[in-house]
Amino acid sequence: MTPSVARELVRSGHLVRSLRLAPFATSAAAVAAYLAARLGDTHDAIGDLRVLGLLLALGSGYALDDSAAITLQASPYGLARRTGLRIAGAAAVVVPVWAAVLAVYLPSAPAGERWSLGLGLTTELAAAVTVLWAVAAWARRQGFDQPGIITTPVLLAALLLAASIPQAPMLVGSGREWTPAHLRWSGIAAAATCALVAAMRDPAARWATRGRTR
């Protein structure tokens, strides 16, 4: 897929129409409802931002749902580029909403902690959505055309696991454990990225490589 084709897909709206927008709309509505329910109370910035990040991540897990995937497997455009475009479309929804949410909450945090809190919570969100996309991509390789339904229990189970390990706490408040916890979150994000890249490799590529070596 050339850059001009990708730009045309975006410009014409085909990429947006190919995404399941209902989960994103539901997440955005849930974020708006949560903010309205808090009525401007930003006292518990970390807790609120984690809830809002969870809502955005849950909607993002459906980015790779595509009932036309079987038809497009025969297209001349590689699996990695097709999947990458869908992920980019999802990120185009999540990033501005998350930026707006940070703009609401971070001013209430102490001035010296705003950057560390914003970076740390963004790392948590990035790790969560990357794990979901990796799970969805591998589920697609196993024949699931709508893997989004799998990602919701995976995310909730992972967060429960992260919160239940006292030796290496992942969901911590600001303090001395903040940096070590988010180094671990960064490790999860990196591992999930590697798994996602591996899942995006076209299954036919290995056959093409073998054919050239003979």
Side-chain angles (χ1 to χ4, degrees):
M1 183 183 292
T2 63
S4 61
V5 173
R7 284 195 297 269
E8 180 60 23
L9 286 172
V10 174
R11 187 197 65 78
S12 63
H14 289 300
L15 178 61
V16 174
R17 289 193 294 270
S18 70
L19 292 172
R20 287 190 64 187
L21 296 180
F24 292 105
T26 302
S27 289
V31 168
Y34 189 90
L35 291 174
R38 297 292 288 172
L39 297 176
D41 180 8
T42 57
H43 178 71
D44 184 15
I46 294 177
D48 287 344
L49 286 170
R50 279 179 170 150
V51 171
L52 294 168
L54 173 62
L55 294 174
L56 289 175
L58 289 173
S60 303
Y62 294 80
L64 301 187
D65 283 14
D66 185 7
S67 58
I70 295 177
T71 302
L72 293 176
Q73 283 176 357
S75 75
Y77 307 133
L79 175 63
R81 290 186 177 181
R82 297 200 309 270
T83 304
L85 275 175
R86 299 183 72 83
I87 290 175
V93 176
V94 173
V95 170
V97 175
W98 181 245
V101 167
L102 288 178
V104 171
Y105 277 92
L106 287 186
S108 65
E113 297 180 1
R114 289 173 188 169
W115 278 104
S116 63
L117 290 179
L119 181 60
L121 293 168
T122 300
T123 300
E124 292 181 20
L125 177 60
V129 296
T130 306
V131 167
L132 294 189
W133 289 335
V135 169
W138 278 103
R140 287 290 301 274
R141 290 181 76 93
Q142 303 305 313
F144 291 93
D145 294 334
Q146 310 288 342
I149 194 65
I150 302 173
T151 62
T152 297
V154 167
L155 176 59
L156 296 178
L159 290 177
L160 287 174
L161 179 63
S164 65
I165 302 177
Q167 292 82 4
M170 301 290 285
L171 299 174
V172 299
S174 57
R176 63 179 184 178
E177 291 292 332
W178 185 262
T179 298
H182 287 85
L183 288 175
R184 290 188 284 271
W185 277 112
S186 299
I188 291 173
T193 299
C194 293
L196 177 60
V197 170
M200 290 167 63
R201 177 176 169 80
D202 198 312
R206 62 179 182 270
W207 301 110
T209 302
R210 290 177 182 177
R212 287 195 297 269
T213 57
R214 288 180 180 178

